[in-house]
Amino acid sequence: DSGVTQTPKHLITATGQRVTLRCSPRSGDLSVYWYQQSLDQGLQFLIQYYNGEERAKGNILERFSAQQFPDLHSELNLSSLELGDSALYFCASSSRGSGPVSYNEQFFGPGTRLTVL
Amino acid sequence: GENVEQHPSTLSVQEGDSAVIKCTYSDSASNYFPWYKQELGKGPQLIIDIRSNVGEKKDQRIAVTLNKTAKHFSLHITETQPEDSAVYFCAALVVGGGADGLTFGKGTHLIIQP
């Protein structure tokens, strides 16, 4: 168990809908990352938040957005869903920036499986 | 941006034999290289990592080697056991480069034959 929790485990929705995925990082971790895993694209970095602020963006679509709240949990919002958005969405956390210099060891949650019908 | 190539995509070895998975990266500024193991229905689990100032690192049956000149790094698993069966991912990152998202290889499905 990595200490990172994600809800829900599974989500089934229809095209055009909007969903919210939730992540709670490991205790004390200030950085949260979102990744998408699909068969054709593999594991891809979407976005990173550090202590409530956006730190870096990867291959995130404009229809997707995220935020990190004062209690450090994060939410990934996916809107105008398309069939191709069906994938596993992982959240990871790290302690980077919260103490001595670290090399960004990232610990992954169990993921949310999104199915768009 | 960074590009990570991983080979082979599938690797089948006899229980007790060694397994080697290789990755190459494109960005010479990359300085952190973790390896993850993903079992069916679970998230990736960090199993070992190496920084660019180190050539080799071992942890029991697992070792990782890094060749900065050639820009490649490898995962070595000795005395393989059935519980080693999983998908393994390599990744690369430029720590301090402003963006902390890992760039992953496409994964290697390791099958341990009894």
Side-chain angles (χ1 to χ4, degrees):
Chain A
D1 184 358
S2 66
V4 178
T5 60
Q6 289 187 248
T7 57
K9 285 182 69 73
H10 303 278
L11 199 48
I12 302 174
T13 188
T15 55
Q17 295 299 305
R18 172 189 169 94
V19 297
T20 297
L21 313 183
R22 183 187 169 103
C23 166
S24 292
R26 296 186 316 159
S27 178
D29 282 357
L30 298 181
S31 278
V32 168
Y33 311 77
W34 286 97
Y35 291 85
Q36 180 193 59
Q37 185 176 38
S38 62
L39 280 174
D40 52 343
Q41 298 292 327
L43 261 168
Q44 288 202 94
F45 167 64
L46 296 178
I47 196 164
Q48 177 199 1
Y49 275 79
Y50 171 73
N51 202 21
E53 297 200 0
E54 183 182 303
R55 174 63 67 91
K57 271 187 172 179
N59 298 321
I60 189 166
L61 300 171
E62 284 194 12
R63 300 183 286 109
F64 296 0
S65 65
Q67 52 185 327
Q68 186 179 27
F69 296 86
D71 66 352
L72 301 177
H73 91 270
S74 177
E75 292 181 356
L76 179 67
N77 302 295
L78 314 176
S79 62
S80 302
L81 285 167
E82 302 174 359
L83 296 177
D85 298 327
S86 295
L88 275 165
Y89 290 86
F90 290 104
C91 166
S93 74
S94 81
S95 59
R96 175 163 166 74
S98 64
V101 173
S102 80
Y103 271 77
N104 202 35
E105 295 165 333
Q106 296 183 26
F107 298 91
F108 282 70
T112 292
R113 180 175 292 280
L114 174 66
T115 302
V116 182
L117 301 175
Chain B
E2 174 67 278
N3 182 51
V4 177
E5 301 278 345
Q6 183 172 348
H7 300 280
S9 57
T10 304
L11 178 60
S12 182
V13 301
Q14 289 294 123
E15 183 179 348
D17 287 351
S18 295
V20 180
I21 302 171
K22 299 182 179 182
C23 290
T24 60
Y25 59 98
S26 61
D27 189 346
S28 57
S30 287
N31 51 15
Y32 175 63
F33 307 92
W35 285 87
Y36 286 83
K37 174 184 181 182
Q38 187 175 23
E39 296 174 314
L40 199 60
K42 296 186 178 181
Q45 174 195 2
L46 179 66
I47 56 172
I48 196 168
D49 56 17
I50 191 167
R51 286 74 154 119
S52 60
N53 59 345
V54 175
E56 183 175 2
K57 182 177 178 181
K58 284 184 180 179
D59 183 4
Q60 299 183 12
R61 297 186 297 109
I62 293 174
V64 58
T65 58
L66 171 66
N67 182 326
K68 285 191 297 182
T69 304
K71 290 190 283 188
H72 68 70
F73 56 114
S74 301
L75 177 71
H76 304 252
I77 305 174
T78 59
E79 300 173 15
T80 54
Q81 300 169 4
E83 53 265 37
D84 295 330
S85 293
V87 179
Y88 291 80
F89 293 93
C90 61
L93 176 66
V94 179
V95 176
D100 290 342
L102 293 166
T103 300
F104 284 90
K106 292 292 188 186
T108 296
H109 185 193
L110 177 61
I111 302 165
I112 308 300
Q113 303 279 7

